[in-house]
Amino acid sequence: AQKITQTQPGMFVQEKEAVTLDCTYDTSDPSYGLFWYKQPSSGEMIFLIYQGSYDQQNATEGRYSLNFQKARKSANLVISASQLGDSAMYFCAMRDFILTGGGNKLTFGTGTQLKVEL
Amino acid sequence: EAQVTQNPRYLITVTGKKLTVTCSQNMNHEYMSWYRQDPGLGLRQIYYSMNVEVTDKGDVPEGYKVSRKEKRNFPLILESPSPNQTSLYFCASSPGGRDEQFFGPGTRLTVL
């Protein structure tokens, strides 16, 4: 079965510093996608970044980058130059494409609460 | 504006009183899903739909029903709510299986 593990329940980082949020996954599907979502205290889910299992390069979106290490089954999120507005819960998620018959199953980790301090 | 809407946003009800949480998207997406979010457990998929009249169970379907009679709507039905269904519920949609999911604003449900 698919599984996502986020081992950091909470993290602190100083403003302007970079921070890495860990995510490991487990799947037997050769084709899958990895997502990161941000959930601020207001509750909405905001899509940040996507990495496909066959993508050759690590995904980047502005200050967000995904450190994808396929052999280690890890997909860590790196936030550069942290801002106070980055304080939120961050969820890693995975979507299998073959074993689940089309990719509509999204499995989430338990999340990491990030607090950015002055 | 492209969006996923849910109603109601907040609901307090009593055990056994049937309720429906509506979900609607205006992006012509084929895929729609329902999730529940509980502290320490992340989001767990309840049901999903790959198109009109095509629905399937997710990881935690017990106590829930769904229907997909129109492409834009995907209501979540709790026939006989129980306190363990107190949770934050999200509806999501996506164009296809490989795309990001767009989430609704969430519905906070309390069952007394």
Side-chain angles (χ1 to χ4, degrees):
Chain A
Q2 313 92 318
K3 188 176 180 181
I4 292 279
T5 303
Q6 294 180 255
T7 57
Q8 306 153 314
M11 288 194 69
F12 291 88
V13 65
Q14 286 209 310
E15 196 181 21
K16 299 189 181 119
E17 297 289 311
V19 62
T20 298
L21 307 183
D22 293 342
C23 173
T24 58
Y25 61 92
D26 190 22
T27 180
S28 54
D29 199 321
S31 180
Y32 54 89
L34 295 153
F35 300 78
W36 278 91
Y37 284 86
K38 171 184 178 182
Q39 186 179 42
S41 58
S42 51
E44 71 267 31
M45 295 290 287
I46 302 168
F47 166 74
L48 296 178
I49 196 165
Y50 167 80
Q51 179 86 43
S53 58
Y54 293 117
D55 293 344
Q56 295 296 313
Q57 295 192 325
N58 287 346
T60 60
E61 288 286 349
R63 294 187 298 112
Y64 304 107
S65 60
L66 202 152
N67 184 1
F68 181 47
Q69 298 188 44
K70 195 170 181 177
R72 300 178 69 176
K73 292 191 174 180
S74 75
N76 299 339
L77 177 70
V78 180
I79 305 174
S80 63
S82 298
Q83 301 171 356
L84 294 177
D86 293 334
S87 293
M89 180 73 87
Y90 289 81
F91 290 99
C92 180
M94 177 175 66
R95 204 166 192 175
D96 290 354
F97 296 134
I98 295 176
L99 296 180
T100 56
N104 202 46
K105 179 175 174 55
L106 198 61
T107 302
F108 282 82
T110 53
T112 296
Q113 183 72 48
L114 177 67
K115 174 79 171 169
V116 180
E117 301 174 313
L118 290 169
Chain B
E1 180 191 352
Q3 60 182 349
V4 179
T5 57
Q6 295 178 228
N7 282 292
R9 295 287 314 279
Y10 303 90
L11 179 60
I12 300 174
T13 189
V14 295
T15 298
K17 186 175 181 182
K18 181 179 178 180
L19 67 93
T20 299
V21 183
T22 64
C23 172
S24 184
Q25 50 95 3
N26 62 1
M27 296 169 278
N28 202 36
H29 287 171
E30 291 191 351
Y31 287 69
M32 297 187 75
S33 293
W34 275 102
Y35 298 88
R36 61 177 289 174
Q37 182 180 5
D38 302 291
L41 297 177
L43 279 79
R44 293 176 292 167
Q45 192 174 45
I46 303 171
Y47 268 95
Y48 65 92
S49 170
M50 295 168 72
N51 214 325
V52 175
E53 302 293 0
V54 181
T55 63
D56 207 347
K57 296 177 181 178
D59 292 322
V60 288
E62 294 78 21
Y64 305 95
K65 286 175 58 177
V66 293
S67 68
R68 187 93 181 270
K69 293 184 169 57
E70 307 164 279
K71 199 171 188 178
R72 63 183 292 129
N73 295 324
F74 191 43
L76 179 70
I77 304 155
L78 285 72
E79 294 269 3
S80 182
S82 62
N84 64 12
Q85 292 178 298
T86 292
S87 188
L88 177 59
Y89 290 86
F90 286 100
C91 180
S93 73
S94 65
R98 293 178 181 273
D99 304 295
E100 68 166 283
Q101 295 204 356
F102 294 82
F103 283 81
T107 294
R108 189 165 291 282
L109 172 66
T110 301
V111 183
L112 302 174

